[in-house]
Amino acid sequence: MSSSDFTIESFTVESNNNDGVKLHTRLFKPGSTTEVKDKNFAIILIHPYSVLGGSQGLLKGIASGLAVNGYTAVTFDMRGVGKSTGKASLTGFAEVKDVVSVSNWVQNSLSVQKILLIGSSAGAPIAGSAVDQIQQVIGYVSIGYPFGITASILFGRHHKAILQSPKPKLFIMGTQDGFTSVKQLKNKLKSAAGRVETHLIEGVGHFQMEGPAYDTYMVDLILKFIQSL
């Protein structure tokens, strides 16, 4: 990928919650030589757990891959991460407000009517809680949703929101994910509303799947999902 294939711009997005939080946001756009697929559509990516060092930098590969394929993609550092102000929360509920704030900014600044939310690891429950709070969201992708028992101590209260949402959902997971077993994933998704797809990557662990080696693979899965929306 060369810089002519996509461009990156940085912005500061103010939280809508009058809490003074400013979110460092990056916009990945198709380059001058790339055909734009849908001007009314943007993809917002939500990074892994802030408390364990998650940041938007982990999603740069996927975001740039989507931009090269003609889609506008947005990453941002949730509160308390990188150049974003505020304080990270343990359970991710304050961060749901960050997702809503960035989605509102995308909608207003980029004149976008349709949004796809993608959450990676702990970003998946956070994004899942935001899905039905944002009218423009037309679909949801989870990369390694931590449904397991230990992770549920922190993120269990997020499960209901995404499972009850009627919006189309894709859950991507490695079969060796240390946070969630394939059985736990299937049991959870039995009760899910609307269209639910799963994609299991054989023999791959949680952090391995989130690594740059799988960025192109993720982009391909996301592009296929977008075409089905």
Side-chain angles (χ1 to χ4, degrees):
M1 285 189 287
S2 72
S3 56
S4 61
D5 296 331
F6 68 97
T7 61
I8 306 176
E9 296 169 43
S10 286
F11 296 89
T12 300
V13 173
E14 302 226 2
S15 167
N16 300 345
N17 302 290
N18 300 322
D19 52 11
V21 171
K22 292 181 169 61
L23 304 165
H24 179 226
T25 304
R26 288 192 189 115
L27 176 63
F28 294 75
K29 289 186 348 197
S32 52
T33 55
T34 309
E35 182 199 344
V36 176
K37 293 288 190 329
D38 188 342
K39 283 196 177 89
N40 290 322
F41 182 71
I43 301 155
I44 301 175
L45 298 103
I46 295 94
H47 67 71
Y49 200 26
S50 305
V51 180
L52 292 179
S55 72
Q56 66 177 331
L58 297 170
L59 299 169
K60 185 182 178 183
I62 297 176
S64 49
L66 291 166
V68 167
N69 279 282
Y71 291 99
T72 296
V74 176
T75 65
F76 66 99
D77 282 325
M78 291 188 272
R79 58 186 60 211
V81 175
K83 292 180 188 166
S84 293
T85 64
K87 191 169 181 286
S89 76
L90 276 177
T91 56
F93 278 96
E95 284 77 358
V96 174
K97 297 171 186 169
D98 298 344
V99 178
V100 174
S101 297
V102 170
S103 298
N104 288 341
W105 176 83
V106 164
Q107 191 191 313
N108 296 328
S109 304
L110 309 177
S111 307
V112 160
Q113 276 95 49
K114 295 175 290 184
I115 292 170
L116 174 69
L117 286 186
I118 300 175
S120 176
S121 190
I126 292 166
S129 279
V131 161
D132 283 346
Q133 292 185 31
I134 306 156
Q135 202 186 336
Q136 286 70 21
V137 170
I138 58 165
Y140 165 87
V141 177
S142 150
I143 300 172
Y145 196 118
F147 272 129
I149 293 161
T150 313
S152 293
I153 294 167
L154 289 172
F155 305 115
R157 287 188 299 138
H158 290 281
H159 297 178
K160 198 168 145 187
I162 192 57
L163 295 175
Q164 289 183 346
S165 173
K167 295 177 182 180
K169 302 173 263 297
L170 168 63
F171 289 84
I172 305 166
M173 196 179 91
T175 60
Q176 301 297 315
D177 191 302
F179 293 101
T180 309
S181 68
V182 173
K183 190 180 173 190
Q184 283 167 328
L185 177 73
K186 287 183 172 165
N187 281 343
K188 277 288 182 187
L189 297 185
K190 269 181 199 161
S191 65
R195 191 181 112 209
V196 185
E197 290 175 42
T198 53
H199 184 94
L200 297 173
I201 308 173
E202 199 57 50
V204 173
H206 186 89
F207 295 107
Q208 192 184 352
M209 186 181 73
E210 286 176 13
Y214 281 88
D215 285 349
T216 308
Y217 190 97
M218 294 301 158
V219 169
D220 288 343
L221 289 176
I222 294 160
L223 293 173
K224 280 191 190 111
F225 184 66
I226 290 169
Q227 279 150 22
S228 75
L229 294 173

